[in-house]
Amino acid sequence: MTLDYLFVFAQAHEEFRIPELLSVAELYDIKITFPEDPAKADVSRPFMVLGLESEEDVKQLARRCILIKSVHEFWGRGKTYEDMFAMTRENRSRWDKYVADTSFKFRVEAYNHTIPQRRQREIMESFDWMDFLGEINMRNAEITLSVFEEYVDKHGTTRHKHEGDGDFVEVFFGRLLEEGSARKLIQTFDVKKRSYFGNTSMEAEISLLMANQTLASPGKLVYDPFVGTGSMAYTTAHFGAYVYGSDIDGRQMRGKDKTPGIMRAAAQYGVQQRIMDLCTFDVTRNPWRCGELFDAIITDPPYGVRAGAKRLGRKTPLTRPSQQYVANRQDDQPYIPPTRPYELSALASDLVLLARYMLKPGGRLVFFLPTVTDEYAELDLHTLLCEGMEVIANSLQDFGSWGRRLITIKKTTSEKYSPPTFDTTPVTAAPDTPAHIPAHKDFREKYFQGFKKDEPET
Amino acid sequence: MVRLITHNLLACHAKGCTTNNFPLRLQDAAVELRDAEFNAEFVRGFLPRLEWKALVGAARELGDKSLPEEMPEMVDEEFLQKLHHVLLEIHIDEGAMVCPNCGHVYPIANGIPNMLLAEHEIA
């Protein structure tokens, strides 16, 4: 039977909230019933009442979802305390068992507001009608009764500290089940406290959200083909998965010490055993012997702002073969082959093709795609999809004129495919159907031009 | 690093090198043993991907003779434990992997293999 639970979410990365819930639910085989009323499923609000089949399921979500702050057994809500009390009365069966002799305490909080102490006391006293006979114990209460008042955001207005007190949008009431414990991992994986990182390292919260999108768990095999300084390898391995990383630039993975930087940071998190191996190679010239190896591919491809994507080759091919040069070199330095830029839209479509080949059926590709806010269209994503690969989540992290989208693609096919050829020659569409040019094409150039439109000068 | 599971998954990918390009021959391998947590399900799940002969060959080259020549029909816990050890606990930190066909040398330094190709080896 499904019961209602009150979820309190962190108001950060709102677009990532539902995809994360759905991913973790899929991982643990948990069924979630979402509210039918869109106003009650609005992710700009931190409170949401969800239907779940067991308390254990609710706690499991709170232990794994990065965006959950706390979860509560839901007893009532309302635009006024009277309305909320009326609903709580009807839900008596949910709290009747605590009336006789359960010790309790209250926790009264507000979102976008601070309730003055005097009124906090009044609020607690207003629950007298429930006739709880157990003692009030602030330290060791058996249950915590949670009251949340939700206020509209008054950010940027000048006002007195408690101005508008009581003018809440809605009030929620329930019994605390569990504090979200996964949120603490944001501190654990803080890049500033990491023994090895670079200027392209991904922030902890996003690395954790990405790891959750891969359904990382013990025994899974996950691959990052642009591993860089390993940001997502640590979080993915933390959740139990084995991680392979590769990068065209070995210096990113190594750093300066003898022990590779990624291994040092992995040791700090106690996950070095799960870093399966790190390899230096260009993913477009990769040595993987076969496909269908990985449960997930997780990556933040370089898109040219801090680091540009590179692949083997030259911008302008040499006229004479380089073979003699390589063979007859006199110095003992390692040979460093030339590289050329890898345009983002080509890289993105190649990545999807590679994922289709390298993922097991049902596996997931999780990656960031930078987009120009004014130009992005849903169609952009379709330009990089191929048969058997379906977008299951697309969450925007908005930076204003540009943003990046966390895309989760699932391999829905069990067909066998041959490895992608990574041809750079673009497919020329028939003249009457001009090919859609995705907004992320030439992202680097657009970024450095400040996303100005090509308007004719006046 | 460069565990035998990885060695079992890498083939020479130089231009035109498509036959006899696996398994890569181990050269001057400096071996280190490191404990890894045992996950029976993972090892079992990996069996269909494994090139058995290549794995046994590489393990024997490195002095580990715990695996039988042929993959046993009976997959029990004891076998999975042995396989786990060979796949995940034997690390090659220094040395090289050499293609038996074209002779390309893929050096391993500090546990990271350099699988980059030279300019004339890509299409």
Side-chain angles (χ1 to χ4, degrees):
Chain A
M1 198 186 80
T2 306
L3 284 176
D4 284 342
Y5 295 89
L6 172 65
F7 283 67
V8 182
F9 292 97
Q11 278 315 92
H13 311 299
E14 289 92 344
E15 283 203 19
F16 294 65
R17 182 187 301 168
I18 305 293
E20 185 189 42
L21 272 176
L22 292 174
S23 292
V24 175
E26 183 176 331
L27 179 61
Y28 295 112
D29 202 15
I30 294 171
K31 195 172 160 288
I32 304 180
T33 311
F34 285 90
E36 279 167 25
D37 177 1
K40 289 181 176 169
D42 178 0
V43 292
S44 68
R45 304 176 65 182
F47 306 102
M48 205 183 285
V49 175
L50 301 172
L52 284 116
E53 286 170 338
S54 79
E55 232 169 66
E56 206 36 53
D57 285 355
V58 181
K59 290 180 180 172
Q60 190 65 262
L61 290 172
R63 287 177 202 138
R64 184 67 193 258
C65 290
I66 308 302
L67 296 176
I68 291 181
K69 283 175 87 172
S70 58
V71 287
H72 312 259
E73 187 180 40
F74 175 66
W75 291 354
R77 69 192 289 173
K79 302 238 178 289
T80 63
Y81 273 85
E82 289 318 307
D83 288 356
M84 184 269 278
F85 288 154
M87 188 168 181
T88 306
R89 243 176 233 113
E90 282 184 21
N91 282 332
R92 184 168 188 115
S93 60
R94 302 200 81 176
W95 51 268
D96 203 38
K97 54 184 170 288
Y98 304 117
V99 170
D101 63 351
T102 308
S103 62
F104 66 98
K105 68 173 177 185
F106 272 97
R107 163 174 152 175
V108 180
E109 283 176 22
Y111 173 69
N112 277 333
H113 181 71
T114 313
I115 306 173
Q117 283 227 326
R118 187 177 40 76
R119 199 168 69 86
Q120 285 194 27
R121 211 166 37 245
E122 284 170 23
I123 292 168
M124 294 181 211
E125 283 162 6
S126 72
F127 285 88
D128 278 355
W129 63 269
M130 292 175 82
D131 274 333
F132 271 38
L133 300 170
E135 63 160 343
I136 297 178
N137 187 329
M138 292 315 285
R139 284 219 187 87
N140 288 312
E142 286 164 79
I143 60 169
T144 301
L145 306 178
S146 336
V147 183
F148 295 102
E149 292 180 359
E150 178 190 359
Y151 290 76
V152 291
D153 188 2
K154 287 163 290 196
H155 197 81
T157 58
T158 319
R159 61 190 186 277
H160 185 264
K161 192 175 166 198
H162 299 304
E163 196 179 298
D165 185 42
D167 291 339
F168 51 81
V169 182
E170 204 170 357
V171 57
F172 298 84
F173 180 48
R175 175 176 68 89
L176 175 69
L177 277 182
E178 189 145 313
E179 301 285 348
S181 49
R183 258 196 103 57
K184 291 198 197 91
L185 294 173
I186 299 171
Q187 264 74 54
T188 311
F189 287 97
D190 186 355
V191 176
K192 282 177 285 188
K193 291 184 265 178
R194 191 174 297 165
S195 58
Y196 179 69
F197 59 89
N199 65 348
T200 56
S201 292
M202 177 68 72
E203 70 243 44
E205 188 166 10
I206 300 278
S207 303
L208 288 158
L209 288 169
M210 289 178 81
N212 270 347
Q213 285 304 99
T214 68
L215 312 183
S217 60
K220 295 253 183 86
L221 194 55
V222 179
Y223 173 41
D224 184 344
F226 300 96
V227 72
T229 53
S231 307
M232 283 88 71
Y234 313 124
T235 53
T236 310
H238 170 81
F239 292 124
Y242 296 113
V243 185
Y244 270 115
S246 73
D247 205 294
I248 192 170
D249 186 355
R251 293 170 303 181
Q252 288 274 328
M253 301 185 287
R254 287 171 197 277
K256 284 176 179 150
D257 281 16
K258 187 170 154 46
T259 308
I262 292 186
M263 296 314 289
R264 279 187 280 134
Q268 178 186 349
Y269 300 126
V271 299
Q272 71 271 44
Q273 272 313 321
R274 304 204 192 110
I275 306 295
M276 198 62 113
D277 258 311
L278 303 168
C279 303
T280 307
F281 59 76
D282 172 2
V283 71
T284 72
R285 304 280 167 200
N286 71 71
W288 295 115
R289 169 174 66 78
C290 59
E292 296 187 34
L293 277 176
F294 305 116
D295 296 286
I297 291 179
I298 183 171
T299 198
D300 179 30
Y303 45 77
V305 177
R306 291 192 190 160
K310 293 272 191 284
R311 55 184 301 185
L312 292 180
R314 279 182 201 270
K315 269 186 181 170
T316 42
L318 282 183
T319 43
R320 62 191 162 75
S322 66
Q323 200 148 1
Q324 291 87 351
Y325 167 72
V326 175
N328 300 330
R329 277 179 330 128
Q330 298 300 312
D331 57 63
D332 57 356
Q333 290 300 304
Y335 166 71
I336 298 167
T339 55
R340 61 192 165 105
Y342 195 2
E343 195 276 314
L344 183 72
S345 64
L347 180 153
S349 342
D350 284 351
L351 183 61
V352 179
L353 286 170
L354 175 80
R356 183 174 65 171
Y357 171 65
M358 297 296 310
L359 287 175
K360 298 176 188 170
R364 288 177 166 206
L365 166 65
V366 178
F367 71 105
F368 263 113
L369 185 72
T371 50
V372 185
T373 308
D374 285 346
E375 296 176 29
Y376 172 79
E378 196 72 27
L379 197 57
D380 289 357
L381 270 189
H382 294 282
T383 62
L384 53 87
L385 287 180
C386 55
E387 193 186 60
M389 297 295 276
E390 273 174 35
V391 175
I392 56 168
N394 170 1
S395 318
L396 174 69
Q397 188 183 11
D398 196 348
F399 300 129
S401 57
W402 70 289
R404 53 183 185 183
R405 286 175 180 275
L406 183 61
I407 313 282
T408 308
I409 292 177
K410 183 175 176 175
K411 178 173 171 179
T412 53
T413 176
S414 45
E415 293 275 312
K416 302 258 184 285
Y417 289 90
S418 47
T421 54
F422 301 103
D423 279 338
T424 39
T425 39
V427 186
T428 37
D432 53 331
T433 52
H436 174 74
I437 297 164
H440 53 269
K441 183 156 196 308
D442 300 320
F443 180 81
R444 181 190 155 83
E445 285 68 29
K446 289 174 184 170
Y447 180 90
F448 285 110
Q449 284 159 15
F451 305 108
K452 284 198 262 305
K453 295 257 171 60
D454 321 313
E455 278 160 29
E457 282 178 40
T458 46
Chain B
M1 303 292 284
V2 187
R3 311 186 199 214
L4 290 189
I5 185 175
T6 310
H7 173 260
N8 206 265
L9 292 173
L10 301 175
C12 180
H13 55 300
K15 180 187 175 186
C17 190
T18 51
T19 52
N20 188 30
N21 58 344
F22 174 86
L24 300 172
R25 208 175 64 239
L26 299 172
Q27 198 177 64
D28 307 325
V31 173
E32 196 71 52
L33 297 181
R34 291 187 199 107
D35 289 341
E37 58 201 309
F38 176 59
N39 185 323
E41 217 178 307
F42 172 76
V43 180
R44 195 191 302 274
F46 199 76
L47 280 173
R49 289 275 156 270
L50 212 52
E51 282 290 336
W52 186 257
K53 284 204 170 359
L55 180 70
V56 175
R60 294 193 175 183
E61 259 184 80
L62 300 178
D64 187 299
K65 299 190 168 53
S66 60
L67 296 179
E69 204 77 48
E70 298 292 328
M71 184 145 81
E73 304 212 334
M74 253 280 289
V75 174
D76 57 9
E77 177 91 2
E78 193 197 335
F79 166 69
L80 291 176
Q81 290 269 11
K82 277 185 195 162
L83 186 53
H84 159 79
H85 172 72
V86 173
L87 282 175
L88 296 172
E89 299 189 322
I90 303 176
H91 297 248
I92 304 163
D93 284 345
E94 302 291 330
M97 294 183 284
V98 183
C99 175
N101 181 44
C102 74
H104 184 112
V105 178
Y106 297 100
I108 301 168
N110 300 324
I112 300 182
N114 184 347
M115 308 298 290
L116 286 172
L117 296 173
E119 202 171 352
H120 62 274
E121 292 171 317
I122 61 174

